[in-house]
Amino acid sequence: MNLPVISLIPAPASLTTLPGSFSITPDTALTAPAGPAGRFLGALLRRATGFPVPAGPGGSIVLALSGDASLGREGHTLEITPSGVRLLAHTDEGLFRGVQTLRQLLPAEIEARSAQPGPWSVRCVRVEDRPRFEWRGAMLDVVRHFFDVATVKGFIDRIAAYKLNVLHLHLTDDQGWRLEVGSRPRLTSVGATTEVGGGAGGFFTQADYAEIVAYAAEHHLTVVPEFDMPGHTQAAMASYPELAPSWAVSERVAEPLAGLLVRDGVRQLYTGTEVGFSELAVDKDSTYEFLDDVLGEFAALSPGPYLHIGGDEALRTTPEDYARFMARAVPLVIAHGKTVVAWQEAAAAVLPPGSLLQYWRPTTEPVPEILRDTTGLRLIMSPADRTYLDLKYDETTPIGLTWAGTVGVRQSYEWEPTSVVPGAEIAGVEAALWTETITSADDIDFMIFPRLPGVAEVGWSAPGRDWAEYSRRLHAHQARWDSAGITSYHRSVEL
Ligand code: TNX
């Protein structure tokens, strides 16, 4: 029989091949605890095999919650023998990650959206697995170009397949405000009406956002919403002019940009791609009332423990103003019961122990002085020259930015998150997809495939990268994307 070659991404902690194979047939049943893992696997198998795959006791595929806490929250063991599949974990999340392994052991046709002929055979194996890092994220910028709920769900489908567990949504920026806020309706009625290039923009209603959060939870992904402050706030200021600082834009921003940002003293919507020109009024109490209301709604809508408050590229803000601002903004996050996440610039502020900083500067730059001592903080590693999937693959890539150079497939895979900021505690890694040049779901697929799986492996698998071995596995995944109907992935010459 023609059994698929094993090409797991991310590579598991341990894999042993056993003799023989197991086949899914019209008689196969699934025994699983109530929860996303069993639901996901049942739906996946039914869709591509066309078999009924009933759920109930006595199935030849068994997912079970073992009492063994030593597996960790996401750890699991998967044993496939000729008589069946047995997947054990301590939590449903662990089962869900293991289901992604079983999925990749099946023929690529398992990704098809309609019933295929099969056969549905897998090699017998024993896999013991758990992640290296607890934070394995992907960020989607829905501001520079807006992406609707269906596209975000598609993004969740893609990242969950590679065992990521965090969906970071960049929801606010100069070019738009993308989440409805009940107490500040102009943020969306005004602030969401455009995007980079002048398109119509758009926003998530609170019901839309709840749908995304629920879909993410169904894939054991935590949604981390980002309200970027005090910079990247032109859309908020265009919606509520009183949020703007008292200094005249022309004092700190050169023409012609300054002329686009203000007309008759009022902040305008912005559709360009410059960064670092906007800042909230740091000295007005009303700014913090605004933050309190908005952060309160973001927190209430987001069941996860984190709120991301940006903090990057506040380039027109003096260091004193930045520190004063963060000293008032950070406690609001805490008051709403959330842990602070912020871009690396926020290392200049006083952050409570346990806060997370997202490192984004390229690995080729020296570590900034403010990050020399990160005691009490944890770092999410997103160095631009490795994890910024909005950067071009090479000079010939039709879309994408190049401010940190180009990011080839190999470059996004061959790096070590713990050696960028020596001594820092590393929570994990996150791929970032900024969307200044990305305008469609096909563009998203073009930029994330084939680079995203490499960042996922850096986050999940033991250190020590072997490009030759990995690129063979990655090559095999193209058949899975083909089968899933993902047509626009980048046909990289590196594979
Ligand atoms: C830098 S990374 C930014 C974003 C841009 C991105 C483009 C960061 C914290 N800020 O505003 O979209 O580069 O690659």
Side-chain angles (χ1 to χ4, degrees), residues 259-439:
L260 293 175
L261 298 178
V262 191
R263 201 168 311 129
D264 301 328
V266 178
R267 294 285 181 143
Q268 304 295 304
L269 293 170
Y270 176 68
T271 61
T273 60
E274 298 282 330
V275 295
F277 54 77
S278 56
E279 177 202 294
L280 297 174
V282 300
D283 47 1
K284 293 187 202 162
D285 288 341
S286 57
T287 298
Y288 303 95
E289 287 157 22
F290 172 83
L291 294 186
D292 194 21
D293 288 346
V294 173
L295 289 171
E297 293 197 37
F298 274 47
L301 290 165
S302 305
Y306 310 106
L307 279 185
H308 200 309
I309 55 169
D312 58 311
E313 298 176 320
L315 303 179
R316 299 300 187 281
T317 308
T318 64
E320 296 71 29
D321 277 356
Y322 188 84
R324 277 200 294 158
F325 175 84
M326 284 295 174
R328 293 186 71 176
V330 164
L332 299 175
V333 176
I334 309 303
H336 289 294
K338 301 296 185 185
T339 297
V340 174
V341 188
W343 296 105
Q344 68 179 78
E345 287 94 325
V350 179
L351 298 174
S355 301
L356 290 132
L357 285 178
Q358 188 164 8
Y359 193 96
W360 64 277
R361 298 303 304 174
T363 58
T364 48
E365 290 181 4
V367 174
E369 200 56 50
I370 54 169
L371 283 145
R372 283 294 149 79
D373 180 8
T374 54
T375 310
L377 304 176
R378 297 187 304 147
L379 265 53
I380 302 160
M381 298 308 299
S382 301
D385 58 330
R386 308 293 174 161
T387 70
Y388 270 32
L389 306 188
D390 62 307
L391 300 186
K392 289 179 187 286
Y393 289 93
D394 58 44
E395 293 70 23
T396 69
T397 310
I399 53 173
L401 302 178
T402 53
W403 69 266
T406 56
V407 180
V409 183
R410 181 170 185 170
Q411 186 171 315
S412 65
Y413 175 70
E414 256 181 353
W415 63 287
E416 171 47 43
T418 61
S419 38
V420 183
V421 186
E425 189 182 334
I426 305 301
V429 303
E430 190 171 295
L433 190 63
W434 302 97
T435 57
E436 286 94 334
T437 66
I438 292 159
T439 62

Side-chain angles (χ1 to χ4, degrees), residues 134 154 180-181 267 299 439 464 477 488:
E134 71 175 270
E180 176 189 22
V181 175
R267 294 285 181 143
T439 62
H477 279 243
S488 65

Side-chain angles (χ1 to χ4, degrees), residues 18 22 30-31 41 58-67 76-89 95 98-99 102 105 122 125-128:
L18 306 172
F22 167 75
L30 169 63
T31 304
L41 180 59
S60 57
I61 301 178
V62 177
L63 274 49
L65 296 170
S66 80
H76 52 268
T77 61
L78 171 66
E79 192 164 64
I80 305 176
T81 63
S83 58
V85 173
R86 201 171 164 73
L87 173 59
L88 297 177
L95 292 177
V99 162
L102 174 58
L105 291 169
V122 279
V125 290
R126 183 179 161 76
V127 176
E128 291 174 35

